[in-house]
Amino acid sequence: MKPETIRRRSPLSWVPTVYFAMGLPFILVNMVSTLMFRGLGIDDARIALWTSLIILPWSLKPIWSPLMEMFRTKKFWVVSTQLISGLGLALTALTLPLPDFFPYAVALMGVIAFSGATHDIATDGVYITELSKDQQARFIGWQGAFYNIAKVFAMGGLVYLAGALKERVGIVEAWMIVMALCGALLFLLGIYHLRMLPSGGEATAHAGSVGEALRETGAIFRGFFRKRYIGIYIAFIVFYRFAEGLVIKIVPLFLNAPLDNQGLGLTEQQIGLYYGTFGVIAFVVGSILGGYFIAWLKLRRALFPLITIFNIPFVVYALLAWFQPASPLLICGGIVFEYFSYGFGFVGLTLFIMQQVAPGPHKMAHYAFGSSLANLGVMLPGMASGWLCDQVGYHRFFLWALMATIPIFLIAWRIPFAHPDTEEGAAQAVEKELTDE
């Protein structure tokens, strides 16, 4: 089949499926595996240690993303890693009946984690390379929607299936079936994308030896920090989700805490229902609408409204903490509003990294750098959030979260755009950047 034919296919034929395939390995390794290992008799300390270690590749992926610029097409990496992850899950299923299965299962999941992180880099590379600026905006919401559908599928459907099968065939066999089904699904997605996924372009860097590879990697890293406006862009990326990072660990604790401890007194079942059902639906709708909103206004005009919508939920939680309403409907409405706003506003950060930070000769690697900085902006405040909440209580904590939104508004008010929203202007800006490098 000719490449031109593949390019004419609608992005809806591959964007939802490839981002579903991106989310599935991460959720399986990071979340579902903890329930599986506990059901199979592993103690909590070993589960927490090893499941935390094996997800490390998702934090370290910028290290090897430059190397992927030097070999084969992005499609090659996407399809290969889907097949490898599928095979890894099938082999994990085969280890579960073994007497000393845990180290083998963890080792295989470590391979799946590395494969999954590599898949993430290449998938984003295909998206950035193959889609125009307008298409990137329109379909950015489909990205987040189907990534989170994979989360619901895994944490909802697969965990439920394991529980149902446990009563019929036993706990070991139940998890064997679940892991094998996931492996088969990823393998089938790999075969599907072998036909349907665009190539993402040839390698943009080349190396004939280890020394050349290291020099090229260094050049790609230096190129990122030499980009126009990179200092303010790094600040923008880090502070975009700063308030979210502050509250993300605290909100579930606040919802569950007793009323006399400044909480809302919800049960675990209520929290699971509000977040896992209504919240996810709201997130999917918000993500898709956010993408079309950017496509309508263009990123420059849409960015400040997106940041505003993204941060309004912190006002809602401050009000919930202050008034402590007893109405489940009101509390559920606040959670649904949070998820909708999060989905709607988050696409602004993703598209900003794609269209203002990543452009240049090494889009795939530089997008990986930018997305890692975004994760850093969540991790750093999250590390201090528990201590701060203990010091000031829930009432004042959410006021601090509101104050934490101030930097991103100040930065966004005057943030420069290195690359225009129009296709013609963007091409000229990239050409200038290539000349400068």
Side-chain angles (χ1 to χ4, degrees):
M1 183 174 293
K2 294 181 180 180
E4 311 88 70
T5 306
I6 296 176
R7 285 178 181 272
R8 282 199 294 269
R9 288 199 177 113
S10 168
L12 285 178
S13 67
W14 57 270
V15 170
T17 51
V18 80
Y19 278 91
F20 179 89
M22 176 191 282
L24 191 58
F26 179 77
I27 303 303
L28 286 171
V29 171
N30 187 36
M31 301 175 73
V32 175
S33 67
T34 62
L35 298 173
M36 179 182 75
F37 288 140
R38 171 178 276 187
L40 295 175
I42 305 300
D43 62 88
D44 287 357
R46 292 175 74 196
I47 292 173
L49 173 63
W50 288 104
T51 56
S52 296
L53 285 175
I54 58 179
I55 65 169
L56 196 58
W58 276 284
S59 298
L60 301 179
K61 61 186 180 182
I63 294 174
W64 67 90
S65 60
L67 295 174
M68 294 171 60
E69 296 273 11
M70 304 177 199
F71 307 101
R72 310 297 295 263
T73 65
K74 299 170 183 66
K75 175 180 177 177
F76 168 82
W77 292 108
V78 172
V79 173
S80 298
T81 50
Q82 286 175 5
L83 297 177
I84 290 169
S85 295
L87 180 61
L89 287 167
L91 292 174
T92 300
L94 295 177
T95 66
L96 299 184
L98 299 177
D100 190 20
F101 75 92
F102 186 66
Y104 303 111
V106 166
L108 285 166
M109 286 193 171
V111 173
I112 295 167
F114 184 81
S115 173
T118 304
H119 176 276
D120 291 8
I121 299 167
T123 297
D124 290 328
V126 173
Y127 188 93
I128 295 168
T129 304
E130 292 292 336
L131 301 187
S132 68
K133 281 181 172 288
D134 287 342
Q135 288 177 316
Q136 287 174 9
R138 283 201 300 273
F139 295 104
I140 195 74
W142 292 90
Q143 270 195 24
F146 274 82
Y147 186 95
N148 279 274
I149 286 171
K151 181 177 180 178
V152 176
F153 173 77
M155 283 300 291
L158 293 178
V159 171
Y160 179 86
L161 178 62
L165 289 173
K166 179 177 70 173
E167 306 300 326
R168 297 188 178 187
V169 298
I171 185 69
V172 174
E173 290 77 8
W175 282 111
M176 285 181 68
I177 292 171
V178 167
M179 290 292 115
L181 282 174
C182 290
L185 177 58
L186 275 176
F187 206 87
L188 289 173
L189 284 170
I191 294 173
Y192 174 79
H193 291 134
L194 183 63
R195 177 176 177 80
M196 300 298 292
L197 192 69
S199 72
E202 299 296 328
T204 57
H206 301 280
S209 65
V210 173
E212 276 188 63
L214 291 175
R215 285 192 293 274
E216 189 64 39
T217 299
I220 292 172
F221 271 94
R222 289 192 299 273
F224 179 79
F225 292 102
R226 288 174 179 167
K227 284 178 177 284
R228 195 177 176 198
Y229 307 130
I230 192 62
I232 192 170
Y233 284 178
I234 289 174
F236 177 84
I237 293 169
V238 169
F239 281 108
Y240 197 103
R241 300 177 65 190
F242 198 81
E244 177 204 348
L246 199 62
V247 306
I248 194 169
K249 302 285 187 183
I250 303 301
V251 166
L253 303 177
F254 160 66
L255 296 174
N256 186 238
L259 292 172
D260 57 5
N261 195 27
Q262 301 183 1
L264 295 184
L266 297 186
T267 65
E268 286 82 358
Q269 289 84 355
Q270 286 175 305
I271 295 172
L273 176 65
Y274 298 165
Y275 271 106
T277 303
F278 304 119
V280 168
I281 293 171
F283 179 89
V284 170
V285 173
S287 296
I288 293 172
L289 291 180
Y292 287 105
F293 177 74
I294 299 175
W296 173 50
L297 279 184
K298 304 303 181 188
L299 182 61
R300 185 189 293 269
R301 293 171 59 200
L303 192 59
F304 201 85
L306 287 167
I307 292 169
T308 302
I309 293 169
F310 186 76
N311 287 286
I312 287 177
F314 305 124
V315 178
V316 174
Y317 278 114
L319 292 172
L320 289 175
W322 191 261
F323 292 104
Q324 293 181 278
S327 168
L329 186 62
L330 189 59
I331 298 170
C332 180
I335 292 171
V336 167
F337 180 75
E338 175 207 357
Y339 264 58
F340 176 86
S341 300
Y342 177 70
F344 195 95
F346 182 76
V347 296
L349 175 61
T350 305
L351 203 64
F352 185 87
I353 298 172
M354 281 186 181
Q355 295 189 353
Q356 298 302 316
V357 179
H362 306 296
K363 296 178 183 178
M364 182 170 70
H366 289 173
Y367 181 82
F369 296 172
S371 60
S372 294
L373 286 169
N375 291 332
L376 186 68
V378 175
M379 183 186 74
L380 293 178
M383 292 170 64
S385 61
W387 173 85
L388 178 60
C389 189
D390 286 343
Q391 300 302 308
V392 301
Y394 292 120
H395 288 173
R396 291 187 177 88
F397 174 81
F398 288 107
L399 295 177
W400 278 99
L402 281 174
M403 293 176 64
T405 67
I406 294 173
I408 187 59
F409 283 107
L410 295 177
I411 296 169
W413 186 254
R414 293 288 185 178
I415 192 164
F417 272 52
H419 301 276
D421 285 336
T422 62
E423 296 296 330
E424 296 80 5
Q428 292 171 7
V430 170
E431 185 177 347
K432 183 180 185 302
E433 186 165 311
L434 282 169
T435 305
D436 292 343
E437 289 183 2

